[in-house]
């Protein structure tokens, strides 16, 4: 990729309101990020919609900072971007990577579980990760305390491991895992981040981190997960992405095992050792099934009295908004129900996304964000 | 039942070489145990086969001894014999019972598991048994140390429990469970034994005890069972008898959970609480499936050089023996392959069973015992 296009891709990805799905559509429409950047202001101005592109200087500064950190950007659709992640329609357009991006190309399995894991759970994670690494698999996890850290450490003994983090690469989290992050990068593995450098890892970033963990892997193994825990969300994301699901059983007396036992009850492979994983790990993900609504995007319930108050778009846009809800709706359905052309609807939806009013979702669907 | 027939049934059941399947056939052929006892010596003499009936005095003495112990005999096909057990073609023709035989008529679930169970396993067994008893179920187990005892104790707090024992009722096993056996009988439950009074519980009696535990119940819950343990045999017997199978999950680090985790992998219901059992416990057993060979009867492999040496039956009997092996064979198949009438084959097989050479099995099948 020519450097100018790399800068343009980073600028487009860092522009507020351009989500991964819209990024892919713009790249398809315009042929390059540079062309999309050139076209967007005209388009926004024509509709009177707000738009602030990420300044070129900001992108260049971030590239420079990442280089000084020893990292590099990789771009969806271009090697060495991880091929399994690239299958996801909402894959990050740009990933910041520390370490060896080649680690992202290996057959991978994710190990996730409780941050407050028991000593036994940590030991299981460490041994399982070591066995899986010894069998040639890359072990993916989220650099968190507990199961995540144990999995990374076990894999480091016999092979490569990949960590996906929620914040920027210069903000290791938890802070005392900075050394672990550095070891992963130094010992043949990789650490990847969707968020820009300088981003503090906030609660809202973790669903995206979990989705990357699941998407990098052919299967996800859950070890100790309480009901409604983040690990169960990763499990659900893995199923949605056609990944194989594994769970380690545990005593009914330990609440940390309820969620993982539940997964087994629902069909996850009962896993006691690497053999159980190797037996069921496929060569490729299954065809992707979309749930309504996908868990990653199902935010809070819409407020009881959801009233559009400010920046009210007039006419056609209002007509489109009236057809939407916070639950995902198919764009085709919107086109059928309003009396506008498909391209007019797409243009309105782009404006609304740039304004933060809607979110474009995989499967050509769209949902209100709840912001007026 | 008139007292004379009760005595005759006990004599027939206590006659060496008359197994439960043959007992049922003889009862069907002759109409009563008394008539069978009268016919057997003539039949044996005609064929020159050995036969020693249990003397009437022995049967009367055992009845008296059981009465003095506070117990009673119950007979297959006659209330209060437990109806679920009666469905099994090889159910014990006679059971010695301490306590209230009415406990044998209730909807029942078995809890079985490791004798060397962990403290956590015992607690799970005790709580689960108590919850199931509180829900109105009778909890069945085998009076052993560990899970069995915990299950009986938990059930005693809220309802009835039934113990099936391997030896005679006057030989509680383990000996320090004599008090538990007495409590079960005194507090509305029942203790049942197939073996005659005075029988020391030997290893070879436990498969029959396990079969009774499984057969008394609509479902079997396994809590902590190592691979190749007796509890897994009970689980297999339960499946063979069309019973529902449940298993409590446990840590892969505990070898005592390998067998139970394996059962879940093979389709047993993952069980964390009584709700999991109640949800899947059926109203009646499923249609019985027969495996080849059923585990209860699959003894050691036949010796490499199995030679018929002594008491060699002549002619027709030899022809029948040549068609048999230690693996079960359908009697119909034997009839088809030799040139004898069905009734002649049945008579020969009866002689061979009385001589200890063959064993009649459920499903009208027969196998060599390996004794010449």
């Amino acid at each position: 990729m020519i450097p100018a296009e790399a800068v343009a891709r980073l600028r487009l990805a860092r522009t507020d309101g351009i989500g991964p799905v819209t990024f892919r559509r713009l790249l398809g429409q315009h042929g390059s990020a540079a062309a999309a950047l050139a076209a967007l202001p005209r388009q926004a101005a024509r509709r009177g919609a707000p738009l602030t592109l990420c300044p070129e200087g900001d992108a260049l500064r971030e590239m420079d900072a990442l280089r000084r950190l020893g990292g590099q950007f990789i771009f969806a659709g271009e090697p060495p971007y991880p091929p399994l992640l690239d299958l996801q329609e909402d894959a990050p357009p740009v990933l910041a990577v520390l370490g060896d991006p080649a680690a992202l190309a290996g057959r991978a399995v994710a190990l996730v579980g409780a941050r407050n894991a028991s000593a036994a759970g940590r030991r299981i994670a460490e041994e399982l990760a070591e066995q899986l690494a010894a069998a040639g698999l890359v072990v993916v996890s989220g650099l968190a305390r507990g199961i995540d850290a144990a999995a990374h450490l076990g894999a480091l003994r016999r092979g490569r491991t990949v960590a996906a983090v929620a914040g920027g690469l210069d903000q290791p989290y938890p802070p005392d895992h900075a050394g672990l992050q550095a070891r992963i990068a130094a010992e043949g593995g990789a650490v990847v981040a969707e968020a820009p450098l300088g981003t503090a890892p906030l609660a809202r970033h973790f669903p995206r981190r979990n989705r990357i963990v699941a998407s990098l892997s052919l299967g996800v193994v859950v070890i100790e997960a309480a009901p409604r825990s983040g690990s169960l969300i990763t499990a659900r994301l893995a199923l949605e992405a056609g990944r194989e699901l594994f769970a380690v059983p545990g005593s009914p007396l330990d609440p940390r095992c309820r969620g993982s036992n539940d997964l087994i009850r629902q069909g996850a492979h009962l896993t006691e050792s690497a053999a159980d994983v190797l037996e069921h790990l496929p060569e490729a993900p299954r065809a992707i099934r979309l749930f309504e609504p996908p868990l990653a995007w199902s935010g809070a319930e819409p407020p009881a009295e959801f009233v559009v108050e400010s920046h009210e778009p007039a006419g056609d846009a209002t007509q489109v908004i009236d057809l939407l809800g916070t639950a995902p709706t198919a764009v085709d359905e919107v086109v059928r129900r309003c009396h506008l052309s498909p391209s007019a609807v797409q243009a309105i939806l782009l404006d609304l996304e740039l304004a933060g009013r809607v979110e474009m979702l995989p499967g050509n669907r769209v949902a209100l964000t709840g912001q007026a």
Side-chain angles (χ1 to χ4, degrees), chain A:
Chain A
M1 190 183 305
I2 58 167
E5 174 63 7
V7 175
R9 292 241 192 145
L10 186 58
R11 286 183 67 197
L12 195 57
R14 297 288 187 245
T15 293
D16 282 345
I18 308 264
V21 173
T22 300
F23 184 103
R24 289 211 169 199
R25 212 184 52 236
L26 290 173
L27 213 60
Q29 273 174 9
H30 299 281
S32 71
L37 285 177
L40 276 171
R42 282 199 308 277
Q43 209 170 337
R46 206 164 53 233
R47 306 201 153 265
L51 171 71
T52 312
L53 292 177
C54 164
E56 187 172 33
D58 289 6
L60 289 170
R61 265 188 297 279
E62 194 185 347
M63 288 180 126
D64 191 47
L66 180 57
R67 214 167 9 241
R68 274 183 281 114
L69 214 59
Q72 61 183 292
F73 284 109
I74 61 175
F75 301 91
E78 313 274 335
Y81 196 89
L84 282 189
L85 181 58
D86 224 353
L87 292 176
Q88 302 300 113
E89 206 180 333
D90 62 344
V94 181
L95 272 181
V97 184
L98 285 179
D100 185 357
L104 302 170
R107 269 168 63 84
V109 64
L111 265 63
V112 301
R115 282 190 300 275
N116 67 339
S118 69
R122 284 164 212 248
R123 196 177 132 203
I124 291 168
E126 207 165 320
E127 291 179 359
L128 195 56
E130 182 173 358
Q131 291 164 3
L132 292 167
L137 290 165
V138 174
V139 173
V140 179
S141 199
L143 202 73
R145 297 188 203 284
I147 297 299
D148 283 23
H152 289 306
L153 288 169
L156 276 173
R157 282 196 223 115
R158 303 291 291 270
R160 296 172 148 192
T161 184
V162 167
V165 298
L169 286 179
D170 55 351
Q171 313 261 327
Y173 184 83
D176 49 313
H177 283 190
L180 177 59
Q181 171 169 316
R183 267 194 71 191
I184 292 171
E187 298 180 20
V191 184
V192 300
E194 178 175 23
L197 287 176
T199 309
L202 302 175
R204 66 186 163 85
H205 296 124
F206 283 85
R208 287 291 294 171
R209 189 271 311 248
N210 294 341
R211 196 168 184 87
I212 293 170
V213 167
S215 300
L216 284 170
S217 314
L218 289 163
V220 172
V221 186
V222 180
I223 305 166
E224 292 193 357
R228 286 180 300 282
S229 61
S231 305
L232 291 192
I233 293 178
T234 306
R236 174 75 177 272
L237 295 171
L239 281 182
E240 285 179 25
R243 268 55 168 180
E244 213 63 29
L245 196 55
F246 302 85
V248 174
S251 168
L253 297 181
D254 189 340
R256 287 170 295 201
C257 297
R258 296 261 163 81
S260 25
N261 284 342
D262 238 12
L263 290 177
I264 296 170
R265 208 184 264 116
Q266 291 162 30
H269 300 291
L270 188 148
T271 300
E272 294 180 300
S273 70
D276 294 312
V277 176
L278 296 170
E279 184 183 344
H280 296 285
L281 201 68
E283 286 305 309
R286 282 194 299 273
I288 293 168
R289 291 165 293 162
L290 284 170
F291 291 85
E292 294 280 348
L295 199 95
W297 307 101
S298 69
E301 287 295 302
E305 299 175 58
F306 174 70
V307 186
V308 175
E309 286 181 291
S310 57
H311 306 303
E312 180 62 358
D316 294 348
T318 308
Q319 190 189 341
V320 168
I321 285 176
D322 287 347
L323 291 168
L324 302 177
T326 50
T329 305
V331 172
D332 291 350
E333 180 72 18
V334 176
V335 170
R336 265 199 305 281
R337 289 178 179 274
C338 67
H339 303 282
L340 300 168
S341 71
S343 62
V345 169
Q346 289 287 3
I348 289 168
L349 289 175
L350 176 57
D351 289 345
L352 290 172
E353 184 171 33
L354 292 171
R357 297 283 302 272
V358 305
E359 182 163 43
M360 295 306 297
L361 305 177
N364 201 23
R365 294 170 311 151
V366 59
L368 290 179
T369 57
Q371 290 169 37

